[in-house]
């Protein structure tokens, strides 16, 4: 009888554990959604838009971060941000439905010139929203403000005329950034994860734009990324501090074959063996309004124990006097080494802090923790 009771107790414990498993998983995940990992680059943005009632999950447990956002969805999201005001007028579009989730939002967005139709009686209800469209729509929602041109994207010429000022505004305001190779990808579709990040950036722009750090000015994150690892860290730093981004793009980009150090005669091997070949020309080596930045993060992958040499061209082209400079690097196994010290010696100016090395797959939370430990805001308050 005693053994039977023990067996029943064990079975009961297993059943309870199995029943509790989904709840435990959700709690450990930390985001409330099974498809949004706590260390995903968009996790904080998803939580922000959900907590502010701007976006909802696609179910009780999923957010569907990779789902493409449609024009009707975006109109509804902006309508919520506006406080879901009373709507006047009627829906005149032939491709919208009466009493749909988006009906009031479409009428409101069209009446206010935020999301108009195509001019042929169609709203494009289920059409995907491209990156240049979301920039233009959000810009109109903000009142069509003027914007400085700032740094051009590599594919600037492919941005439609109607979106040109909007894209400049979105970039300068830290609302939207480019991808690898300084590309904006204007026709690329916008996912729910990207939309959450864009909306979070916009909604916090006025409150947190250019926070004071370091010696009392604006913050810039400069980076060169060969495979995307350094770019991911740089973007997390930028989002955490709402800092500007500046990507270092070689005039002659490195191909996968160029970067393969296991191949004799590959570009990086040739440059490593011949230091005179490491003077890599950049598409742009100087930053607009450089003097306005007092804190500069500089990120790079580690190549043969030192900073990837495209960074050298940026160091040589700029005066770091009066700036606080914080290096960071990514690598599979190598440490930071003397890379930061060597860059500081090459710069011959600036207050260079000790840098930090991140693994190639560093999580957003790890990067955010490091930024918090720098205590930049607290240091400024103490002055």
């Amino acid at each position: 009888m005693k053994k039977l009771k023990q067996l029943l107790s064990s079975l009961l414990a297993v059943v309870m554990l199995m029943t509790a498993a989904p709840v435990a998983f959700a709690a450990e995940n930390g985001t409330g959604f099974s498809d949004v990992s706590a260390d995903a680059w968009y996790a904080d943005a998803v939580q922000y838009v959900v907590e502010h009632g701007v976006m909802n999950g696609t179910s009780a447990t999923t957010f569907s971060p990779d789902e493409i956002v449609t024009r009707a969805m975006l109109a509804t999201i902006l309508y919520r941000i506006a406080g879901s005001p009373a709507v006047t007028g009627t829906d005149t579009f032939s491709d919208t439905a009466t009493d749909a989730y988006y009906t009031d939002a479409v009428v409101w967005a069209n009446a206010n010139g935020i999301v108009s139709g195509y001019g042929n009686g169609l709203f494009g209800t289920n059409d995907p929203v491209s990156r240049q469209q979301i920039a233009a729509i959000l810009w109109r929602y903000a009142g069509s403000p003027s914007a400085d041109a700032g740094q051009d994207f590599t594919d600037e010429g492919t941005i439609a005329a109607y979106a040109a000022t909007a894209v400049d505004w979105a970039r300068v305001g830290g609302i939207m950034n480019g991808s690898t190779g300084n590309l904006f990808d204007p026709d690329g579709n916008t996912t729910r994860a990207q939309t959450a990040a864009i909306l979070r950036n916009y909604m916090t722009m006025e409150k947190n734009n250019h926070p004071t750090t370091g010696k009392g000015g604006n913050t810039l994150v400069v980076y060169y990324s060969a495979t995307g690892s350094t770019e991911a860290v740089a973007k997390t730093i930028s989002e955490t501090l709402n800092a500007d981004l500046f990507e270092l793009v070689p005039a002659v980009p490195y191909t996968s074959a160029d970067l393969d150090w296991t191949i004799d005669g590959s570009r990086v091997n040739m440059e490593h063996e011949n230091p005179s070949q490491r003077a890599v020309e950049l598409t742009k080596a100087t930053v607009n309004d450089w003097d306005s930045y007092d804190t500069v993060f500089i990120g790079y992958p580690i190549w043969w124990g030192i900073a990837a040499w495209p960074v050298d061209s940026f160091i040589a082209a700029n005066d770091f006097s009066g700036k606080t400079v914080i290096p960071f690097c990514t690598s599979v196994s190598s440490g930071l080494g003397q890379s930061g010290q060597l860059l500081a010696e090459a710069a011959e100016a600036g207050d260079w802090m000790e840098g930090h090395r991140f693994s190639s797959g560093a999580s957003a939370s790890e990067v955010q923790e490091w930024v918090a430990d720098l205590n930049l805001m607290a240091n400024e308050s103490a002055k």
Side-chain angles (χ1 to χ4, degrees), residues 284-372:
K284 189 171 183 179
T286 57
V287 181
N288 294 338
D289 299 323
W290 172 250
D291 291 341
S292 71
Y293 296 105
D294 290 311
T295 301
V296 180
F297 287 80
I298 296 183
Y300 46 85
I302 290 291
W303 288 357
W304 282 275
I306 61 176
W309 28 90
V311 177
D312 295 343
S313 298
F314 177 79
I315 298 296
N318 294 277
D319 181 5
F320 289 83
S321 299
K323 301 187 186 300
T324 297
V325 189
I326 308 171
F328 64 94
C329 72
T330 59
S331 71
V332 175
S333 58
S334 302
L336 181 72
Q338 293 184 307
S339 61
Q341 178 182 339
L342 293 174
L343 292 177
E345 292 174 358
E348 298 182 343
D351 180 12
W352 287 69
M353 295 178 60
E354 182 178 356
H356 188 81
R357 174 260 178 188
F358 294 95
S359 64
S360 297
S363 66
S365 58
E366 180 184 348
V367 178
Q368 291 164 349
E369 183 178 352
W370 173 65
V371 172

Side-chain angles (χ1 to χ4, degrees), residues 20-84:
V23 177
F25 172 78
E28 183 179 349
N29 194 42
T31 65
F33 297 109
S34 60
D35 56 355
V36 178
S37 172
D39 60 0
W41 65 266
Y42 49 81
D44 289 343
V46 168
Q47 288 185 289
Y48 181 91
V49 295
V50 170
E51 289 173 359
H52 286 75
V54 175
M55 295 179 72
N56 301 317
T58 52
S59 75
T61 58
T62 59
F63 185 79
S64 302
D66 297 324
E67 180 180 318
I68 300 301
V69 171
T70 66
R71 286 166 58 83
M73 290 177 185
L74 184 58
T76 302
I77 290 169
L78 294 179
Y79 180 60
R80 289 175 186 157
I81 294 177
S84 301

